[in-house]
Amino acid sequence: MIRRIKGTNDIIEDSYVWEWVEDKLRSVSKKFGFSEIRTPIFEATELFKRGVGTDTDIVQKEMYTFEDKGGRSITLRPEGTAPVMRAFVEHSLDSRGLPQKLFYIGPMFRYEKPQAGRLRQFHQYGAELIGSSRPEADVEIIVLAVEALKALGLKEFKLKINSTGCEKCRPKYKEALKEYYKPLLPKLCDDCQIRYDRNILRLLDCKKDAQYAKSAPIILDYLCDECKEHFNRVKELLDTLGVDYEVDPTIVRGLDYYTRTVFEITSTSLGAQDALAGGGRYDHLIEELGGRTTPSVGFAMGMERVMIALEREKKLPDKPSPQVYVVAVEDEQRPRALSIAFELSKEFIVETDVMGRKMKSQFKNASKLGAHYVIIVGEEEMKSEIYTLKNMFDGSQVKLSLSEIKRRLKEEKCDSNLQWH
Ligand code: HAM
């Protein structure tokens, strides 16, 4: 038997949860004025090298890169921001006016060690606010991320923010970090030994070496006046809006493009992989990709982790069930049952038997599927065109014409959880 690749999932039983989550995320994004962008799942490898940064874990060890038949180096996208910015530059989206507010939902690929909440093909919902350098933009993005989680009914999460400074103040901070970590180097994990030269900031968010990060110098003491002012304004605005947050100077994020504000939302109901969402400001990514300087800010949310959190917090939606199941008493009534089912399916969620089941077993199937109503089509019903409508929840029965049945189903809305609000 050929099995699925390690670190990937088949979404079968719970596809209705995905649909529900995606509906909610699309709806919140649109309310914030964001519109959807769908970029290809593979791109030129160079995009991620330049965009995400050659010294990041993603580019160093996690990319699915291959040569296509034309000899081009292709990479399955490990994240969505660089592709969106590539599209922004390629289609001169700035000519449509700024800011451009885009969101995306789709699969991403990283060759990581699979574990609960960490996959090789996972899905992200992300949003990018392109073209504003103002703290208001950071706050709009942060609030969107928080509101998206709230719209799903999640409560057990924490927002942590930090500033990573800019090209003016960050080098001094990096120097200070190098000084601090130098004597500790032999004690650091293998990854951090390499990161010390390549990407010193990442030493701060290494889980294995977290003990050393506690007493490391903090970036907030090194911010230049502009970065300090920007960060203070972000905090003030969050306070004004009543958004709860914690300043966590160890948040540096694993991608190179960040400047100033960075943030993460962690779930208190998840285990080791507790980051539900992460993002921040990236003021130079677009010029890195050949566009005009266009300060921007965004985030992405891990959808599989959101699903686990929904399960832990008991916030999963109910499985949708048919509103009505049309039962044929004898084989002679099957064509009528089928035509009633097709007629009703223009407006309702309908099931009927296509397996040649006897009446009793059609009823069994109707209750197994959780159908709210059953329409019984027998010999008498065929003649009179008055059908028995049985409420499977309370057992009551009425005789009605098809148009009366339609009216009844419409009035009752049938508790169908397909009618998501
Ligand atoms: P990221 O922190 O690499 O940021 O990923 C965002 C979220 O994707 C994480 O918080 C996590 O929930 C989820 N995630 C990441 N890797 C995996 C994985 N292997 N399995 C399951 N879930 C995962 C970015 O990707 C940036 N592009 C975010 C951004 C957008 N920054 C600015 N704009």
Side-chain angles (χ1 to χ4, degrees):
M1 184 175 41
I2 301 170
R3 292 181 174 276
R4 65 183 195 276
I5 304 285
K6 193 172 157 189
T8 67
N9 267 340
D10 295 311
I11 300 164
I12 306 170
E13 279 290 303
D14 52 356
S15 60
Y16 72 95
V17 181
W18 281 79
E19 215 179 298
W20 179 82
V21 168
E22 287 173 10
D23 276 1
K24 295 267 183 204
L25 297 175
R26 286 200 167 89
S27 159
V28 182
S29 310
K30 286 178 196 162
K31 285 185 181 142
F32 274 70
F34 284 69
S35 51
E36 187 164 358
I37 178 166
R38 302 186 192 199
T39 60
I41 61 163
F42 57 80
E43 299 270 358
T45 303
E46 188 55 24
L47 173 65
F48 302 109
K49 284 194 176 160
R50 269 211 263 163
V52 177
T54 40
D55 289 335
T56 58
D57 283 355
I58 292 181
V59 172
Q60 285 287 319
K61 39 186 193 186
E62 295 170 2
M63 293 207 302
Y64 279 92
T65 297
F66 58 95
E67 201 171 276
D68 74 2
K69 291 196 183 352
R72 304 168 195 91
S73 181
I74 304 286
T75 292
L76 299 186
R77 63 180 183 195
E79 62 100 51
T81 310
V84 172
M85 295 314 126
R86 193 262 313 132
F88 176 88
V89 176
E90 187 170 338
H91 301 284
S92 310
L93 295 185
D94 52 346
S95 66
R96 300 179 190 187
L98 294 176
Q100 286 289 311
K101 297 169 36 168
L102 302 168
F103 77 93
Y104 50 88
I105 294 177
M108 307 290 160
F109 307 84
R110 293 184 195 175
Y111 191 79
E112 290 192 88
K113 200 162 180 226
Q115 62 181 82
R118 192 160 75 193
L119 291 140
R120 289 182 173 169
Q121 174 175 334
F122 60 100
H123 296 76
Q124 280 185 345
Y125 153 63
E128 314 290 350
L129 197 162
I130 311 164
S132 169
S133 60
R134 296 183 60 89
E136 287 86 340
D138 307 32
V139 170
E140 178 162 329
I141 276 293
I142 293 172
V143 173
L144 172 58
V146 169
E147 287 302 313
L149 292 172
K150 282 194 192 159
L152 296 169
L154 293 174
K155 289 200 173 80
E156 295 168 24
F157 59 83
K158 253 197 219 151
L159 165 66
K160 295 178 190 170
I161 62 168
N162 189 25
S163 173
T164 53
C166 64
E167 61 286 1
K168 242 176 28 193
C169 52
R170 200 172 3 198
K172 277 187 223 131
Y173 176 60
K174 281 183 162 175
E175 277 312 308
L177 270 188
K178 285 210 158 173
E179 281 292 300
Y180 169 79
Y181 275 107
K182 204 171 183 178
L184 299 168
L185 247 180
K187 298 184 197 158
L188 301 182
C189 73
D190 291 351
D191 280 340
C192 283
Q193 305 259 353
I194 300 168
R195 287 175 186 146
Y196 180 84
D197 286 318
R198 285 210 175 125
N199 204 348
I200 182 86
L201 292 178
R202 291 302 309 284
L203 268 58
L204 293 174
D205 67 0
C206 172
K207 289 208 164 122
K208 287 186 207 143
D209 292 328
Q211 47 179 333
Y212 306 120
K214 281 188 200 133
S215 353
I218 63 170
I219 181 120
L220 299 175
D221 295 335
Y222 290 79
L223 293 182
C224 61
D225 288 347
E226 290 89 339
C227 286
K228 220 179 271 169
E229 200 185 313
H230 187 97
F231 192 52
N232 286 338
R233 188 79 187 126
V234 168
K235 289 190 291 181
E236 270 167 33
L237 288 168
L238 289 174
D239 291 338
T240 308
L241 297 176
V243 178
D244 281 338
Y245 64 88
E246 189 187 295
V247 174
D248 180 348
T250 64
I251 291 188
V252 290
R253 315 274 304 126
L255 304 92
D256 268 1
Y257 47 61
Y258 292 110
T259 46
R260 293 194 168 163
T261 315
V262 282
F263 68 97
E264 269 177 15
I265 301 180
T266 52
S267 166
T268 41
S269 66
L270 295 187
Q273 302 305 318
D274 63 352
L276 287 174
R281 173 162 284 289
Y282 49 94
D283 287 345
H284 305 294
L285 175 57
I286 293 178
E287 66 198 65
E288 200 65 50
L289 300 177
R292 265 196 292 259
T293 308
T294 315
S296 303
V297 55
F299 74 91
M301 186 177 281
M303 295 183 55
E304 282 79 1
R305 293 186 193 176
V306 162
M307 307 279 169
I308 301 173
L310 284 170
E311 202 181 333
R312 298 266 163 88
E313 292 192 36
K314 303 202 169 22
K315 290 286 168 14
L316 287 175
D318 292 332
K319 195 170 177 152
S321 47
Q323 289 166 290
V324 54
Y325 190 110
V326 190
V327 165
V329 176
E330 305 281 352
D331 282 348
E332 291 74 60
Q333 289 98 44
R334 284 187 185 275
R336 176 71 64 89
L338 209 56
S339 75
I340 291 176
F342 289 163
E343 171 64 24
L344 291 177
S345 66
K346 290 176 190 152
E347 291 173 79
F348 308 102
I349 307 158
V350 189
E351 280 280 351
T352 192
D353 179 59
V354 292
M355 300 298 288
R357 290 185 175 98
K358 296 265 179 273
M359 185 175 84
K360 207 170 146 199
S361 120
Q362 291 179 48
F363 263 99
K364 254 197 210 153
N365 195 33
S367 50
K368 189 177 134 201
L369 295 171
H372 190 163
Y373 282 100
V374 159
I375 295 173
I376 305 165
V377 188
E379 201 183 337
E380 203 184 299
E381 282 91 349
M382 280 271 279
K383 276 193 220 132
S384 62
E385 297 194 12
I386 299 292
Y387 304 96
T388 306
L389 180 72
K390 179 172 178 170
N391 185 329
M392 298 291 278
F393 293 172
D394 63 15
S396 63
Q397 275 184 206
V398 275
K399 294 209 173 249
L400 298 171
S401 69
L402 194 57
S403 55
E404 285 166 337
I405 288 178
K406 281 190 194 170
R407 209 172 313 131
R408 176 68 67 94
L409 293 176
K410 247 186 244 165
E411 274 164 18
E412 297 225 359
K413 285 242 173 81
C414 297
D415 299 326
S416 165
N417 36 43
L418 263 192
Q419 274 134 21
W420 294 319
H421 302 292

